[in-house]
Structures are given as structure tokens and as C-alpha cells.
Amino acid sequence: MKRRDFLRCAGMGLAGIALMPDHLFAAQVGIPNTPAPKGGLHLTFRPYRLDLIHTFTVSKSSRTFTPDVLTFIEYDGVTGYGEASMPPYLGETQESVCNFLSKVDLSQFSDPFRMEEILDYVDGIAPGNPSAKAAIDIALHDLVGKLLGQPWHRIWGLSPEKTPYTSFTIGIDTQEVVRQKVAEASPYKILKVKVGVPHDKATIETIRSMTDRPICVDANEGWNDKNRALEMIEWLARQNCLFVEQPLPKEMVEETAWLRERSPLPIIADEAIQGPEDIAHIYGIYDGINIKLMKSTGLYKAYQMAITAKTLGMKVMIGCMTETSCAISAAAQLSPLADWADLDGNLLISNDCYDGVKVIDGRITLNDKPGIGVSPR
Ligand code: MG
């Protein structure tokens, strides 16, 4: 696909799409109207642009939209939905994801239940490309769940009443916008505050002037000095803060271990961890991990990560990028395994094209829809 074709596709909005049958949705979002070949799995994809309600600023970047690619895997008249979301700082683009997906030939597989075999093949096509791989993994899970007639939390044997509250993210902003976002966040029981800039304390004080709800903070590697980080964490512990995510750059391994020994709050790894193989490297340095489907290459490895971390006595957090309800609902299937969830990426965009798992009274509320729990909007 040529670059101008992506851009043209990416500009097509999905606004105004009501609940509709799969084939109508496919037509509406530009999926070719060719019948899937008999026997094998059939993958299609298209670029999409997630428009953010507010400019989103973290310690190292700022943006108004997030590039995305929607994926569809069809088998025997059933369609599984998936998605790749590419925040620019992670290095993947619509072009790289579409290039990767164009190399994937799922027609060689006639049994969608052989998920390990299919996902091993996808993983072996090229190194890296985690969100492109996640887009296939999520669509395959959705397809298999639909073929089984069950949602994934039930297939895994998880109790839907054990889902955690989700935090609502407040980016780095002016005090006025922070106040506005705190007001918007009133249905949520936990606020996740992005920090890592010189006015961190002023931001927290502004929030505390409005609410005493628990907060957690994410420095996105923005505190470069272990002593300053410890001083901040000790101060935050007195502000009803639950934990601190990625206080120091991931390369500062010894400093993070030093910090963890002294920290009154749990230290959670985000940038420092991608997949299950990384857990051994950060064990003893961090108290827990933030699992995100776009880092882990999807649900298959995210589930392994959650089980491994829990077995080691580590805390588990399920997080997200800016995503539609598709990837958010997929991640929510795992959330009964998590101590904390940060699954608000769909709430930060104005053009969500899926209807999925909801947040009710601040808590992730799973539904009974088979697969990952979504339908096209
Ligand atoms: Mg983070």
C-alpha cells in the first residue's frame, strides 16, 4: 500500500456508524467486499486515526491524535476484531504496521484454535512490531472466543466480579486544564497523574484542592535523579498515592533497585518491560509490572505475564495506549487478574468505532459477549 493510500484511508471517519451486521461494518470501514477463501483464515486491515478529546502530554511528548490500524480475521463466516495503536514514541507507524500485516498469510491455517502455532508463525515473520502482532493476536482471540461462544475471561476461568477499578489519566497540563480534567473524572475512583516535570507538586496540590480520591502517578522515566525521586515518592505517600510507575529511566537499573529498597510506595515497571521474557530481568528491581497489549504482542503473552508476575508475588497492572474499545475490551478480559487497571484509552478519544466493555461506577464491568466483548458501533 502506498503512503498516500494510508493517509487517505486514515482520514476516513467512522462517525455515525450505528450497530450493524459485520458485513455492513466491513463495507463502511473500507474492508474489501470479497468473500473470504474457503478453508483458511482471512486477514484484512485498514488504517484509522484516533482523535484525542484533549491534547495529551506526558513527560517526553505531546500529541492530538494517535495512528491506529484496525484488523479483521474471518473464518467460516465469523469475524474477529483487532487493533494496533501506535503512540509515536514507540517507533511503530501505520506504514510499518501495514507493511508487516501485508506479509502475514493466514490462509495457510485452517484451524483457528491452533493459536500458539499461528502466533509463533506471526512472531517469526520479523522481530519487533509488537502492536502489529497484537492486532493479529487480538482479532484471533476474538474469533476463537466467538467460535466457542464464550468471552475470554470465562475461557480463562476468571471471575467477572473481581475486576478492578480503572484509573482515569490526567496528562501534564496547565493548572486550569488539570482542574477541568479532575472535574471530568468525577465517575472514577482513582486518578492517574502524569508527572516528571518541574511543577509536579503544584499539579498534585491542585488535584488535592479538589478531591481526596486516591491517585497513582506515572513519571514515564521523567525523574532522572534517584534522590529527587525518593523525596517525591515520600511526599506522594502523604498525598494518598497508591503507587509510582516508571520513576526513573529504564536504563537506571541499580538506581531503581536503590529507590525500591527505600520507597514507601510500590514501584511499577512500564517502559522497562515488554513481554514475559523481561520479568526475570526486573524481578527484585520493581514491585510490579504494567502489562499493555501493544507491548506484549497481545493477549497470549499478556496472560503469561500476569500469571508469571502473580506467581512471583509481584503486583499486576493492566494498562493501555490510546485505543478504541476493541483493544481496551480485550485487555479488560484479563483484568480480574490485576491489582490495578488503567484502561481509559477509549475514553480519551472522540471517534471510538466499537462498543465494548464499560466502566460503571469506576469499575471495569465485563459483558457476556463472546470473544473480547465488542461489537462495531
Ligand atoms: Mg506508564
mmCIF file of all heavy atoms in Angstrom, residues 11-51:
data_model
loop_
_atom_site.group_PDB
_atom_site.id
_atom_site.type_symbol
_atom_site.label_atom_id
_atom_site.label_comp_id
_atom_site.label_asym_id
_atom_site.label_seq_id
_atom_site.Cartn_x
_atom_site.Cartn_y
_atom_site.Cartn_z
ATOM 1 N N GLY A 11 -7.880 9.213 6.891
ATOM 2 C CA GLY A 11 -8.745 10.375 7.024
ATOM 3 C C GLY A 11 -10.223 10.033 7.027
ATOM 4 O O GLY A 11 -11.064 10.847 7.366
ATOM 5 N N MET A 12 -10.566 8.812 6.651
ATOM 6 C CA MET A 12 -11.979 8.431 6.602
ATOM 7 C C MET A 12 -12.492 8.214 8.013
ATOM 8 O O MET A 12 -11.972 7.405 8.750
ATOM 9 C CB MET A 12 -12.142 7.107 5.830
ATOM 10 C CG MET A 12 -11.854 7.228 4.349
ATOM 11 S SD MET A 12 -11.589 5.607 3.610
ATOM 12 C CE MET A 12 -13.067 4.768 4.043
ATOM 13 N N GLY A 13 -13.502 8.940 8.420
ATOM 14 C CA GLY A 13 -14.023 8.782 9.776
ATOM 15 C C GLY A 13 -15.041 7.659 9.833
ATOM 16 O O GLY A 13 -15.552 7.212 8.810
ATOM 17 N N LEU A 14 -15.309 7.209 11.041
ATOM 18 C CA LEU A 14 -16.341 6.185 11.223
ATOM 19 C C LEU A 14 -17.525 6.755 11.982
ATOM 20 O O LEU A 14 -18.364 6.034 12.469
ATOM 21 C CB LEU A 14 -15.771 4.996 12.002
ATOM 22 C CG LEU A 14 -14.660 4.215 11.314
ATOM 23 C CD1 LEU A 14 -14.348 2.971 12.127
ATOM 24 C CD2 LEU A 14 -15.030 3.824 9.914
ATOM 25 N N ALA A 15 -17.563 8.097 12.076
ATOM 26 C CA ALA A 15 -18.641 8.706 12.846
ATOM 27 C C ALA A 15 -19.984 8.304 12.272
ATOM 28 O O ALA A 15 -20.149 8.160 11.071
ATOM 29 C CB ALA A 15 -18.494 10.224 12.806
ATOM 30 N N GLY A 16 -20.930 8.115 13.130
ATOM 31 C CA GLY A 16 -22.289 7.864 12.671
ATOM 32 C C GLY A 16 -22.587 6.416 12.358
ATOM 33 O O GLY A 16 -23.677 6.088 11.914
ATOM 34 N N ILE A 17 -21.634 5.508 12.620
ATOM 35 C CA ILE A 17 -21.915 4.108 12.359
ATOM 36 C C ILE A 17 -22.675 3.538 13.545
ATOM 37 O O ILE A 17 -22.172 3.516 14.658
ATOM 38 C CB ILE A 17 -20.611 3.311 12.155
ATOM 39 C CG1 ILE A 17 -19.870 3.872 10.950
ATOM 40 C CG2 ILE A 17 -20.895 1.849 11.968
ATOM 41 C CD1 ILE A 17 -18.528 3.236 10.729
ATOM 42 N N ALA A 18 -23.892 3.104 13.301
ATOM 43 C CA ALA A 18 -24.671 2.500 14.384
ATOM 44 C C ALA A 18 -24.349 1.009 14.429
ATOM 45 O O ALA A 18 -23.611 0.508 13.597
ATOM 46 C CB ALA A 18 -26.149 2.715 14.103
ATOM 47 N N LEU A 19 -24.897 0.302 15.410
ATOM 48 C CA LEU A 19 -24.693 -1.141 15.453
ATOM 49 C C LEU A 19 -25.195 -1.751 14.160
ATOM 50 O O LEU A 19 -26.312 -1.472 13.729
ATOM 51 C CB LEU A 19 -25.471 -1.734 16.638
ATOM 52 C CG LEU A 19 -24.832 -1.485 18.001
ATOM 53 C CD1 LEU A 19 -25.772 -1.954 19.100
ATOM 54 C CD2 LEU A 19 -23.511 -2.202 18.102
ATOM 55 N N MET A 20 -24.411 -2.545 13.533
ATOM 56 C CA MET A 20 -24.813 -3.098 12.244
ATOM 57 C C MET A 20 -24.147 -4.453 12.057
ATOM 58 O O MET A 20 -23.158 -4.754 12.720
ATOM 59 C CB MET A 20 -24.418 -2.151 11.115
ATOM 60 C CG MET A 20 -22.928 -1.913 10.988
ATOM 61 S SD MET A 20 -22.508 -0.896 9.573
ATOM 62 C CE MET A 20 -23.062 0.690 10.081
ATOM 63 N N PRO A 21 -24.692 -5.264 11.149
ATOM 64 C CA PRO A 21 -24.084 -6.561 10.916
ATOM 65 C C PRO A 21 -22.637 -6.421 10.450
ATOM 66 O O PRO A 21 -22.258 -5.402 9.878
ATOM 67 C CB PRO A 21 -24.956 -7.170 9.816
ATOM 68 C CG PRO A 21 -26.213 -6.380 9.810
ATOM 69 C CD PRO A 21 -25.874 -5.031 10.321
ATOM 70 N N ASP A 22 -21.854 -7.483 10.688
ATOM 71 C CA ASP A 22 -20.431 -7.441 10.375
ATOM 72 C C ASP A 22 -20.145 -7.039 8.928
ATOM 73 O O ASP A 22 -19.247 -6.249 8.672
ATOM 74 C CB ASP A 22 -19.806 -8.821 10.626
ATOM 75 C CG ASP A 22 -19.646 -9.072 12.124
ATOM 76 O OD1 ASP A 22 -19.900 -8.137 12.907
ATOM 77 O OD2 ASP A 22 -19.278 -10.194 12.472
ATOM 78 N N HIS A 23 -20.930 -7.570 7.974
ATOM 79 C CA HIS A 23 -20.588 -7.287 6.573
ATOM 80 C C HIS A 23 -20.840 -5.822 6.230
ATOM 81 O O HIS A 23 -20.125 -5.226 5.436
ATOM 82 C CB HIS A 23 -21.344 -8.232 5.623
ATOM 83 C CG HIS A 23 -22.837 -8.036 5.606
ATOM 84 N ND1 HIS A 23 -23.641 -8.502 6.617
ATOM 85 C CD2 HIS A 23 -23.632 -7.413 4.727
ATOM 86 C CE1 HIS A 23 -24.903 -8.177 6.335
ATOM 87 N NE2 HIS A 23 -24.919 -7.519 5.194
ATOM 88 N N LEU A 24 -21.860 -5.211 6.873
ATOM 89 C CA LEU A 24 -22.122 -3.792 6.622
ATOM 90 C C LEU A 24 -21.019 -2.935 7.244
ATOM 91 O O LEU A 24 -20.573 -1.955 6.670
ATOM 92 C CB LEU A 24 -23.490 -3.391 7.185
ATOM 93 C CG LEU A 24 -24.695 -3.982 6.466
ATOM 94 C CD1 LEU A 24 -25.984 -3.510 7.125
ATOM 95 C CD2 LEU A 24 -24.688 -3.580 4.986
ATOM 96 N N PHE A 25 -20.592 -3.318 8.457
ATOM 97 C CA PHE A 25 -19.498 -2.604 9.124
ATOM 98 C C PHE A 25 -18.245 -2.681 8.252
ATOM 99 O O PHE A 25 -17.561 -1.686 8.015
ATOM 100 C CB PHE A 25 -19.236 -3.234 10.487
ATOM 101 C CG PHE A 25 -18.080 -2.604 11.230
ATOM 102 C CD1 PHE A 25 -18.166 -1.312 11.706
ATOM 103 C CD2 PHE A 25 -16.919 -3.321 11.459
ATOM 104 C CE1 PHE A 25 -17.114 -0.729 12.392
ATOM 105 C CE2 PHE A 25 -15.864 -2.742 12.144
ATOM 106 C CZ PHE A 25 -15.963 -1.444 12.614
ATOM 107 N N ALA A 26 -17.950 -3.873 7.741
ATOM 108 C CA ALA A 26 -16.767 -4.055 6.902
ATOM 109 C C ALA A 26 -16.833 -3.140 5.686
ATOM 110 O O ALA A 26 -15.854 -2.494 5.310
ATOM 111 C CB ALA A 26 -16.643 -5.511 6.472
ATOM 112 N N ALA A 27 -18.023 -3.052 5.087
ATOM 113 C CA ALA A 27 -18.181 -2.186 3.920
ATOM 114 C C ALA A 27 -17.969 -0.728 4.320
ATOM 115 O O ALA A 27 -17.285 0.027 3.639
ATOM 116 C CB ALA A 27 -19.573 -2.384 3.322
ATOM 117 N N GLN A 28 -18.524 -0.354 5.472
ATOM 118 C CA GLN A 28 -18.434 1.034 5.920
ATOM 119 C C GLN A 28 -16.998 1.459 6.201
ATOM 120 O O GLN A 28 -16.603 2.575 5.920
ATOM 121 C CB GLN A 28 -19.285 1.197 7.185
ATOM 122 C CG GLN A 28 -19.352 2.605 7.729
ATOM 123 C CD GLN A 28 -20.515 3.405 7.191
ATOM 124 O OE1 GLN A 28 -21.580 2.853 6.978
ATOM 125 N NE2 GLN A 28 -20.309 4.674 6.960
ATOM 126 N N VAL A 29 -16.190 0.565 6.776
ATOM 127 C CA VAL A 29 -14.820 0.940 7.129
ATOM 128 C C VAL A 29 -13.826 0.622 6.007
ATOM 129 O O VAL A 29 -12.630 0.749 6.184
ATOM 130 C CB VAL A 29 -14.342 0.295 8.453
ATOM 131 C CG1 VAL A 29 -15.225 0.724 9.604
ATOM 132 C CG2 VAL A 29 -14.263 -1.214 8.348
ATOM 133 N N GLY A 30 -14.314 0.203 4.854
ATOM 134 C CA GLY A 30 -13.437 0.082 3.702
ATOM 135 C C GLY A 30 -12.758 -1.266 3.554
ATOM 136 O O GLY A 30 -11.744 -1.373 2.878
ATOM 137 N N ILE A 31 -13.296 -2.303 4.184
ATOM 138 C CA ILE A 31 -12.733 -3.636 4.007
ATOM 139 C C ILE A 31 -13.244 -4.195 2.677
ATOM 140 O O ILE A 31 -14.434 -4.115 2.390
ATOM 141 C CB ILE A 31 -13.151 -4.561 5.166
ATOM 142 C CG1 ILE A 31 -12.603 -4.013 6.474
ATOM 143 C CG2 ILE A 31 -12.671 -5.986 4.958
ATOM 144 C CD1 ILE A 31 -11.128 -3.809 6.488
ATOM 145 N N PRO A 32 -12.347 -4.757 1.836
ATOM 146 C CA PRO A 32 -12.779 -5.226 0.532
ATOM 147 C C PRO A 32 -13.955 -6.202 0.646
ATOM 148 O O PRO A 32 -13.966 -7.062 1.523
ATOM 149 C CB PRO A 32 -11.540 -5.947 -0.010
ATOM 150 C CG PRO A 32 -10.401 -5.441 0.803
ATOM 151 C CD PRO A 32 -10.951 -5.013 2.120
ATOM 152 N N ASN A 33 -14.921 -6.031 -0.238
ATOM 153 C CA ASN A 33 -16.126 -6.850 -0.183
ATOM 154 C C ASN A 33 -15.943 -8.155 -0.947
ATOM 155 O O ASN A 33 -16.792 -8.558 -1.716
ATOM 156 C CB ASN A 33 -17.311 -6.045 -0.728
ATOM 157 C CG ASN A 33 -18.629 -6.749 -0.483
ATOM 158 O OD1 ASN A 33 -18.727 -7.565 0.430
ATOM 159 N ND2 ASN A 33 -19.623 -6.457 -1.293
ATOM 160 N N THR A 34 -14.802 -8.793 -0.767
ATOM 161 C CA THR A 34 -14.566 -10.070 -1.434
ATOM 162 C C THR A 34 -14.776 -11.180 -0.424
ATOM 163 O O THR A 34 -14.329 -11.066 0.715
ATOM 164 C CB THR A 34 -13.126 -10.163 -1.972
ATOM 165 O OG1 THR A 34 -12.238 -9.764 -0.927
ATOM 166 C CG2 THR A 34 -12.930 -9.257 -3.171
ATOM 167 N N PRO A 35 -15.462 -12.247 -0.804
ATOM 168 C CA PRO A 35 -15.686 -13.317 0.163
ATOM 169 C C PRO A 35 -14.362 -13.960 0.572
ATOM 170 O O PRO A 35 -13.441 -14.070 -0.245
ATOM 171 C CB PRO A 35 -16.567 -14.306 -0.609
ATOM 172 C CG PRO A 35 -16.452 -13.937 -2.046
ATOM 173 C CD PRO A 35 -16.007 -12.518 -2.126
ATOM 174 N N ALA A 36 -14.248 -14.342 1.868
ATOM 175 C CA ALA A 36 -13.028 -14.994 2.334
ATOM 176 C C ALA A 36 -12.887 -16.335 1.635
ATOM 177 O O ALA A 36 -13.880 -17.023 1.423
ATOM 178 C CB ALA A 36 -13.119 -15.200 3.835
ATOM 179 N N PRO A 37 -11.645 -16.712 1.258
ATOM 180 C CA PRO A 37 -11.459 -18.009 0.642
ATOM 181 C C PRO A 37 -11.891 -19.113 1.603
ATOM 182 O O PRO A 37 -11.712 -18.983 2.811
ATOM 183 C CB PRO A 37 -9.956 -18.071 0.378
ATOM 184 C CG PRO A 37 -9.368 -16.808 0.881
ATOM 185 C CD PRO A 37 -10.430 -15.962 1.468
ATOM 186 N N LYS A 38 -12.455 -20.179 1.072
ATOM 187 C CA LYS A 38 -12.940 -21.294 1.915
ATOM 188 C C LYS A 38 -11.753 -21.991 2.569
ATOM 189 O O LYS A 38 -10.704 -22.157 1.977
ATOM 190 C CB LYS A 38 -13.687 -22.298 1.039
ATOM 191 C CG LYS A 38 -15.099 -21.844 0.699
ATOM 192 C CD LYS A 38 -16.127 -22.629 1.538
ATOM 193 C CE LYS A 38 -17.545 -22.214 1.231
ATOM 194 N NZ LYS A 38 -17.983 -21.064 2.017
ATOM 195 N N GLY A 39 -11.918 -22.370 3.820
ATOM 196 C CA GLY A 39 -10.932 -23.237 4.464
ATOM 197 C C GLY A 39 -9.992 -22.523 5.402
ATOM 198 O O GLY A 39 -9.923 -22.850 6.563
ATOM 199 N N GLY A 40 -9.276 -21.484 4.932
ATOM 200 C CA GLY A 40 -8.258 -20.853 5.764
ATOM 201 C C GLY A 40 -8.772 -19.604 6.453
ATOM 202 O O GLY A 40 -9.908 -19.175 6.262
ATOM 203 N N LEU A 41 -7.893 -19.027 7.269
ATOM 204 C CA LEU A 41 -8.214 -17.753 7.921
ATOM 205 C C LEU A 41 -7.932 -16.620 6.939
ATOM 206 O O LEU A 41 -7.016 -16.709 6.124
ATOM 207 C CB LEU A 41 -7.354 -17.572 9.176
ATOM 208 C CG LEU A 41 -7.470 -18.645 10.254
ATOM 209 C CD1 LEU A 41 -6.462 -18.384 11.363
ATOM 210 C CD2 LEU A 41 -8.867 -18.667 10.830
ATOM 211 N N HIS A 42 -8.715 -15.553 7.058
ATOM 212 C CA HIS A 42 -8.605 -14.458 6.093
ATOM 213 C C HIS A 42 -8.419 -13.144 6.862
ATOM 214 O O HIS A 42 -9.294 -12.731 7.611
ATOM 215 C CB HIS A 42 -9.896 -14.427 5.255
ATOM 216 C CG HIS A 42 -9.879 -13.397 4.184
ATOM 217 N ND1 HIS A 42 -8.932 -13.351 3.197
ATOM 218 C CD2 HIS A 42 -10.722 -12.349 3.943
ATOM 219 C CE1 HIS A 42 -9.178 -12.330 2.381
ATOM 220 N NE2 HIS A 42 -10.256 -11.707 2.825
ATOM 221 N N LEU A 43 -7.237 -12.519 6.673
ATOM 222 C CA LEU A 43 -6.911 -11.278 7.388
ATOM 223 C C LEU A 43 -7.104 -10.067 6.488
ATOM 224 O O LEU A 43 -6.634 -10.061 5.349
ATOM 225 C CB LEU A 43 -5.434 -11.332 7.833
ATOM 226 C CG LEU A 43 -4.835 -10.026 8.371
ATOM 227 C CD1 LEU A 43 -5.421 -9.655 9.730
ATOM 228 C CD2 LEU A 43 -3.312 -10.136 8.469
ATOM 229 N N THR A 44 -7.797 -9.060 6.983
ATOM 230 C CA THR A 44 -7.847 -7.757 6.307
ATOM 231 C C THR A 44 -7.550 -6.678 7.343
ATOM 232 O O THR A 44 -7.653 -6.913 8.552
ATOM 233 C CB THR A 44 -9.230 -7.479 5.662
ATOM 234 O OG1 THR A 44 -10.243 -7.779 6.596
ATOM 235 C CG2 THR A 44 -9.436 -8.300 4.416
ATOM 236 N N PHE A 45 -7.157 -5.505 6.859
ATOM 237 C CA PHE A 45 -6.801 -4.427 7.785
ATOM 238 C C PHE A 45 -6.970 -3.082 7.099
ATOM 239 O O PHE A 45 -7.005 -3.002 5.881
ATOM 240 C CB PHE A 45 -5.355 -4.586 8.277
ATOM 241 C CG PHE A 45 -4.337 -4.689 7.178
ATOM 242 C CD1 PHE A 45 -3.698 -3.549 6.693
ATOM 243 C CD2 PHE A 45 -4.008 -5.918 6.620
ATOM 244 C CE1 PHE A 45 -2.756 -3.638 5.683
ATOM 245 C CE2 PHE A 45 -3.070 -6.013 5.603
ATOM 246 C CZ PHE A 45 -2.446 -4.874 5.135
ATOM 247 N N ARG A 46 -7.097 -2.052 7.909
ATOM 248 C CA ARG A 46 -7.143 -0.696 7.369
ATOM 249 C C ARG A 46 -6.661 0.310 8.410
ATOM 250 O O ARG A 46 -6.891 0.138 9.620
ATOM 251 C CB ARG A 46 -8.539 -0.313 6.900
ATOM 252 C CG ARG A 46 -9.577 -0.306 7.985
ATOM 253 C CD ARG A 46 -10.599 0.780 7.765
ATOM 254 N NE ARG A 46 -9.994 2.100 7.838
ATOM 255 C CZ ARG A 46 -10.679 3.228 7.923
ATOM 256 N NH1 ARG A 46 -11.977 3.203 7.915
ATOM 257 N NH2 ARG A 46 -10.069 4.391 8.010
ATOM 258 N N PRO A 47 -5.952 1.357 7.968
ATOM 259 C CA PRO A 47 -5.502 2.389 8.910
ATOM 260 C C PRO A 47 -6.683 3.196 9.446
ATOM 261 O O PRO A 47 -7.705 3.339 8.769
ATOM 262 C CB PRO A 47 -4.606 3.301 8.056
ATOM 263 C CG PRO A 47 -4.345 2.550 6.800
ATOM 264 C CD PRO A 47 -5.521 1.642 6.592
ATOM 265 N N TYR A 48 -6.532 3.689 10.638
ATOM 266 C CA TYR A 48 -7.562 4.502 11.279
ATOM 267 C C TYR A 48 -6.835 5.540 12.127
ATOM 268 O O TYR A 48 -5.699 5.311 12.549
ATOM 269 C CB TYR A 48 -8.447 3.594 12.146
ATOM 270 C CG TYR A 48 -9.697 4.256 12.689
ATOM 271 C CD1 TYR A 48 -10.624 4.831 11.850
ATOM 272 C CD2 TYR A 48 -9.937 4.280 14.062
ATOM 273 C CE1 TYR A 48 -11.764 5.431 12.349
ATOM 274 C CE2 TYR A 48 -11.083 4.866 14.574
ATOM 275 C CZ TYR A 48 -11.999 5.443 13.709
ATOM 276 O OH TYR A 48 -13.128 6.025 14.213
ATOM 277 N N ARG A 49 -7.463 6.681 12.367
ATOM 278 C CA ARG A 49 -6.828 7.723 13.167
ATOM 279 C C ARG A 49 -7.672 7.990 14.401
ATOM 280 O O ARG A 49 -8.857 8.300 14.279
ATOM 281 C CB ARG A 49 -6.701 8.996 12.333
ATOM 282 C CG ARG A 49 -5.902 10.080 13.027
ATOM 283 C CD ARG A 49 -5.826 11.288 12.141
ATOM 284 N NE ARG A 49 -6.561 12.365 12.768
ATOM 285 C CZ ARG A 49 -6.248 13.653 12.625
ATOM 286 N NH1 ARG A 49 -5.256 13.996 11.828
ATOM 287 N NH2 ARG A 49 -6.943 14.562 13.241
ATOM 288 N N LEU A 50 -7.062 7.848 15.571
ATOM 289 C CA LEU A 50 -7.785 8.094 16.821
ATOM 290 C C LEU A 50 -7.642 9.564 17.190
ATOM 291 O O LEU A 50 -6.529 10.039 17.458
ATOM 292 C CB LEU A 50 -7.210 7.231 17.950
ATOM 293 C CG LEU A 50 -7.121 5.729 17.671
ATOM 294 C CD1 LEU A 50 -6.445 5.019 18.839
ATOM 295 C CD2 LEU A 50 -8.492 5.149 17.405
ATOM 296 N N ASP A 51 -8.744 10.294 17.194
ATOM 297 C CA ASP A 51 -8.713 11.719 17.535
ATOM 298 C C ASP A 51 -8.881 11.889 19.041
ATOM 299 O O ASP A 51 -9.852 11.390 19.620
ATOM 300 C CB ASP A 51 -9.832 12.466 16.793
ATOM 301 C CG ASP A 51 -9.586 12.464 15.285
ATOM 302 O OD1 ASP A 51 -8.417 12.626 14.887
ATOM 303 O OD2 ASP A 51 -10.551 12.268 14.525
#
